[in-house]
């Protein structure tokens, strides 16, 4: 596992149902290239990738709109599924305020000529139907059991132009995403954390609880990006901030599960461990990293050791 930096951000989309439905399990064979694993998997054409992204976004928005916390497996996997499912659970319990509906306006696919794991990315512009703002999102798409699924989502700000500065595409395709490029993305994440960890891993809350923090990235749940050349990469991944809380007398989870969220049952605990996810995109190379996108923090799990009578 890779330890990595974390920061606070904004932005979360919600449901939209206006796009036509085309199930993205397959795509026509007019794409280009083969996966770096030696398989015959082809990358989608720009048109097919746009269609896939449009459908995945629509399915996600509809699932959020009906507060279906268990429905994301059809179109999501990895960190994206964990974060969206948890977000809905927090809305249902009254722990999160539902965010505005976002309808899809524009899709700019980012397709490597070849891909070591068959993944590609896209910049997505949406319309906040409440405020009229047009925020961008960056997503990563991967294959699971023969179907395209979203494995990564982050927020790309409100500027008119797309959030990423990318190499010029050749015939619609970016440089190959090789195993070596993925390794450099992981190294980017590892180097990034060293700076943030210098601030220390032990803190104390305002109510006196001790907190021990560890930050990790799990490559198995989705690491995306492209080669920007000259040793630079775009790396998109989800950071997990693991916080262990403890305090003499115990930590209380109320009957409505509002103190620590819907993942933890009511009771008094000697220790509580929370996992808070944060999806980011960084650009550059170790020692020269620029954060280009980041999303809201969302707790995805909470476990605890119950306080015993003798404690």
């Amino acid at each position: 596992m890779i330890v990595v930096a974390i920061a606070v951000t904004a932005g979360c989309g919600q449901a939209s149902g206006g796009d036509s439905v085309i199930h993205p399990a397959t795509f026509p064979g007019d794409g280009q290239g083969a996966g770096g694993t030696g398989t015959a998997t082809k990358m989608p054409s720009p048109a097919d990738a746009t269609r896939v992204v449009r459908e995945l976004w629509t399915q996600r928005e509809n699932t959020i709109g009906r507060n279906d916390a268990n429905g994301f497996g059809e179109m999501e996997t990895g960190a994206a599924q964990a974060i969206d499912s948890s977000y809905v659970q927090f809305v249902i319990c009254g722990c999160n305020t539902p965010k505005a509906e976002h309808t899809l306006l524009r899709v700019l696919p980012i397709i490597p000529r070849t891909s070591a794991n068959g993944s590609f990315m896209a910049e997505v512009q949406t319309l906040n139907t409440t405020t009229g703002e047009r925020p961008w999102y960056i997503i990563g798409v991967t294959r699971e059991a023969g179907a395209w699924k979203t494995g990564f989502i982050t927020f790309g700000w409100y500027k008119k132009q797309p959030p990423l500065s990318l190499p010029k595409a050749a015939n619609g395709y970016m440089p190959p995403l090789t195993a070596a490029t993925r390794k450099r993305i992981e190294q980017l994440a590892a180097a990034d954390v060293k700076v943030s960890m210098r601030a220390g891993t032990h803190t104390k809350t305002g109510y006196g609880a001790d907190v021990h923090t560890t930050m990790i990235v799990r490559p198995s749940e989705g690491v995306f990006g492209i080669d920007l050349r000259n040793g630079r990469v775009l790396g998109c991944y989800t950071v997990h901030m693991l916080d262990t809380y403890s305090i003499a007398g115990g930590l209380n989870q109320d009957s409505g599960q509002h103190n620590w969220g819907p993942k933890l049952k009511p009771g008094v605990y000697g220790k509580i461990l929370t996992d808070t996810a944060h999806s980011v995109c960084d650009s550059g190379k170790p020692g020269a990293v620029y954060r280009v996108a980041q999303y809201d923090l969302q707790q995805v799990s909470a476990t605890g050791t119950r306080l015993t009578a003798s404690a």
Side-chain angles (χ1 to χ4, degrees):
M1 286 187 287
I2 302 167
V3 186
V4 68
I6 190 166
V8 179
T9 187
C12 179
Q14 213 205 6
S16 161
D19 295 308
S20 60
V21 174
I22 305 173
H23 199 280
T26 60
F27 59 86
D30 60 347
Q32 175 173 328
T37 58
T39 68
T41 302
K42 290 184 177 180
M43 298 306 295
S45 68
D48 289 330
T50 298
R51 176 178 60 84
V52 167
V53 169
R54 182 173 293 276
E55 171 58 13
L56 291 174
W57 184 268
T58 301
Q59 288 181 316
R60 173 190 184 246
E61 294 283 277
N62 290 339
T63 303
I64 294 174
R66 62 177 181 263
N67 283 336
D68 183 4
N70 297 317
F72 291 98
E74 182 178 354
M75 82 295 300
E76 292 183 345
T77 187
Q81 181 182 1
I83 291 171
D84 280 345
S85 177
S86 184
Y87 164 77
V88 169
Q89 291 177 57
F90 271 70
V91 169
I92 292 171
C93 84
C95 307
N96 275 4
T97 301
K99 306 270 178 98
E101 177 183 351
H102 284 61
T103 57
L104 187 62
L105 296 178
R106 188 179 178 192
V107 176
L108 301 178
I110 306 169
I111 314 164
R113 190 164 56 252
T114 60
S115 175
N117 62 354
S119 68
F120 68 93
M121 300 180 67
E123 298 173 279
V124 173
Q125 188 179 36
T126 67
L127 173 66
N128 183 318
T129 58
T130 298
T131 66
E133 294 176 309
R134 300 189 174 198
W136 288 89
Y137 293 84
I138 300 169
I139 72 172
V141 180
T142 189
R143 302 230 358 137
E144 182 180 89
W148 290 111
K149 292 189 176 184
T150 302
F152 175 87
I153 304 172
T154 196
F155 181 62
W157 316 119
Y158 292 97
K159 296 179 181 180
K160 291 183 179 180
Q161 297 301 316
L164 300 179
S165 297
L166 302 173
K168 184 177 180 180
N171 298 319
Y173 294 90
M174 293 292 175
L177 176 61
T178 65
T181 301
R182 284 178 55 84
K183 183 66 174 179
R184 291 204 303 275
I185 293 171
E186 295 175 7
Q187 291 170 344
L188 191 74
D192 195 13
V193 76
K194 294 180 180 179
V195 175
S196 63
M197 294 297 285
R198 290 173 189 161
T201 59
H202 292 85
T203 56
K204 189 177 287 287
T205 68
Y207 57 86
D210 291 311
V211 187
H212 179 269
T213 301
T214 301
M215 289 175 279
I216 63 172
V217 168
R218 302 182 179 110
S220 61
E221 71 176 7
V223 173
F224 298 85
I226 60 171
D227 187 350
L228 298 177
R229 303 191 178 98
N230 299 319
R232 297 170 57 251
V233 295
L234 170 70
C236 297
Y237 37 79
T238 298
V239 180
H240 292 268
M241 184 164 63
L242 309 178
D243 289 320
T244 301
Y245 296 80
S246 61
I247 190 173
L251 300 155
N252 180 60
Q253 169 69 313
D254 64 300
S255 59
Q257 297 176 281
H258 297 105
N259 289 349
W260 296 91
K263 303 286 187 175
L264 189 68
K265 294 181 179 181
V268 181
Y269 294 83
K271 288 185 178 181
I272 293 177
L273 171 64
T274 62
D275 180 348
T276 302
H278 182 219
S279 295
V280 305
C281 288
D282 290 336
S283 177
K285 53 186 176 182
V289 180
Y290 175 68
R291 178 136 301 164
V292 295
Q294 52 187 1
Y295 212 174
D296 284 339
L297 287 87
Q298 176 64 53
Q299 186 197 104
V300 294
S301 72
T303 59
T305 303
R306 288 187 180 270
L307 190 68
T308 63
S310 59

